[in-house]
Amino acid sequence: MTLAPSARLAVLASGRGSNLAALLEAFPGQVAVVISNKRDAPALERARAAGIEALHVPWPPGGARDFEAAVETLLSSRQVTLVLLAGFMRLLSPGFTRAWHGRILNIHPSLLPAFPGLHAHAQALNAGAAFTGCSVHFVDAGCDTGEVILQKRVPVQAGDTEETLSRRLLPAEHEAYPQAVRLVLRGLAFPRPQPGEIEAEFGVNVAADAQGVRAARLLRDWGREDAVADALEGHLTPLTSLARSTDELRLAWTTLDSLSERRARWEKRGELLVQAETLGLGAHCARALAVTADEWDTTTY
Ligand code: GRF
C-alpha cells in the first residue's frame, strides 16, 4: 500500500524529543498528534510549544494492550497513516506492529543489525567499533529487527564516552529521520513485498525484492509494461538495466559510501541519460532522477 505524500503522521516519544523536533521542522502541518507513555516527557512540551496536540497515554503495569487500544483509537480518529517512534522506550506487541506493517518506523542509534536494544552507544564503545551510526527502520515484532530504510555513519573517536558519542551522533539522526520518512512517503522505501502484493499490483506471481519492484514501477510509468515481468524476476535486459541503474542513482545519496564517492556517482548521471536516450527514454529517466535530487542538499553524512 502506498501512502499519500501528505499523509498524516503521529510521533510516539518517551523522552527528550530532539528527533520529534527534527520531524516537526521537516513536516510542518503534517504531524497530527504526539503521544507519550510518560506524563512529564519533554517531547510533549515540545509538541505543545509547536501547537501540536500532545497526549499522555499511560503504559499500564500489565503490558501493552490497554495502551495500544487507546493509541489505535487516537490514530484512527486523527486519520493518521504513518507512525514514527522517536525515543519511544517500550516494545509494542506483534498484533500492533502487524496492523501497522510498513507504516511504523523507528530510529535507533547504531548501524543495525549491530548493537540493537538498550545502551547502543555503550555497546559500540565496548566492541571497540571504529564507526557507529544510526538506522531508521520499519518496526516489526522484534526489538530493532525490522528492515532498515536509511543509515548514517559517524566515526567513534579515541576517548569517546557514551555522552560524547551520542552527542556526535544526534545530528546524523536528525538528518536521517526526515529523509527516511520522505523515502516512505515517496513510495521509494517499503518492506520486502509479499508475492500476493506483487500479483495484485502487477498481475505477475513472482517473488521480487524492493529494488525489483521499484524498477518494475519505473518501467510501468515509462509505458514499458513489456519489461515489467523481467524487472521483477531480475532478468537483465537493456530496459531493466536502465531502470535498475536509474533507481540506484536516484538513491545514491542513501548509501554508506563516503559522501565524495556518492557525489562522484551522481555527477556522472549524464552517462546514464545518454544510455536512456538511445532507448528513447531520456526524458523519463531525467524525471525519475529529479524525484530525490533535492535530498543532495540535505545530505551531509
Ligand atoms: C535517540 O538516540 C534515538 O535514536 C533513540 O532514542 C533517542 C531519542 O532521543 N531511539 P530524542 O528523544 O529524540 O532526543
Side-chain angles (χ1 to χ4, degrees):
M1 187 194 130
T2 39
L3 289 159
S6 57
R8 284 160 65 81
L9 316 174
V11 179
L12 268 59
S14 302
R16 177 178 56 185
S18 71
N19 278 288
L20 165 69
L23 291 165
L24 290 175
E25 196 185 327
F27 300 99
Q30 246 177 297
V31 179
V33 61
V34 173
I35 297 170
S36 182
N37 59 314
K38 298 261 190 210
R39 185 185 301 280
D40 55 359
L44 289 178
E45 274 318 305
R46 282 193 202 250
R48 285 186 194 115
I52 311 289
E53 185 181 29
L55 301 170
H56 167 233
V57 178
W59 187 275
R65 212 177 41 197
D66 291 350
F67 176 88
E68 289 174 352
V71 167
E72 275 294 3
T73 306
L74 288 170
L75 297 180
S76 79
S77 62
R78 272 74 175 169
Q79 284 138 11
V80 166
T81 48
L82 186 62
V83 175
L84 308 171
L85 309 185
F88 181 67
M89 299 304 285
R90 295 286 178 172
L91 259 190
L92 295 163
S93 74
F96 189 90
T97 55
R98 215 176 302 119
W100 285 88
H101 176 73
R103 296 183 301 133
I104 180 165
L105 275 51
N106 181 42
I107 186 157
H108 180 75
S110 78
L111 292 174
L112 293 171
F115 317 133
L118 293 176
H119 309 298
H121 309 93
Q123 291 185 56
L125 291 172
N126 292 338
F131 285 93
T132 185
C134 62
S135 307
V136 182
H137 62 96
F138 288 110
V139 176
D140 65 10
C143 177
D144 305 321
T145 51
E147 290 177 61
V148 168
I149 299 166
L150 185 64
Q151 296 183 311
K152 304 277 178 189
R153 189 200 299 268
V154 301
V156 177
Q157 288 173 3
D160 260 343
T161 61
E162 271 187 80
E163 202 201 316
T164 59
L165 187 54
S166 83
R167 209 179 310 134
R168 183 166 329 108
L169 187 50
L170 215 47
E173 295 192 30
H174 301 159
E175 181 173 303
Y177 215 160
Q179 287 183 332
V181 172
R182 282 193 291 271
L183 282 173
V184 173
L185 294 180
R186 286 169 163 161
L188 293 173
F190 42 88
R192 169 169 273 279
Q194 302 304 302
E197 293 177 74
I198 292 177
E199 191 167 13
E201 181 170 350
F202 299 101
V204 190
N205 187 11
V206 293
D209 58 10
Q211 196 189 13
V213 169
R214 288 194 302 266
R217 284 181 183 161
L218 281 177
L219 288 162
R220 185 185 56 198
D221 294 348
W222 297 350
R224 296 310 305 256
E225 284 84 358
D226 54 315
V228 161
D230 279 338
L232 291 170
E233 288 169 37
H235 296 152
L236 284 184
T237 69
L239 278 173
T240 63
S241 302
L242 176 68
R244 279 197 169 236
S245 302
T246 304
D247 182 57
E248 267 165 31
L249 201 49
R250 68 180 168 171
L251 296 175
W253 57 274
T254 67
T255 72
L256 283 174
D257 301 322
S258 73
L259 196 50
S260 58
E261 283 170 313
R262 282 177 269 162
R263 282 197 179 278
R265 212 170 300 142
W266 177 244
E267 292 312 328
K268 284 204 207 144
R269 63 194 176 282
E271 292 172 16
L272 187 72
L273 289 167
V274 169
Q275 215 176 303
E277 252 340 304
T278 65
L279 293 165
L281 293 168
H284 283 304
C285 178
R287 249 194 312 277
L289 292 179
V291 168
T292 52
D294 57 347
E295 295 296 359
W296 289 104
D297 305 335
T298 64
T299 299
T300 63
Y301 285 88

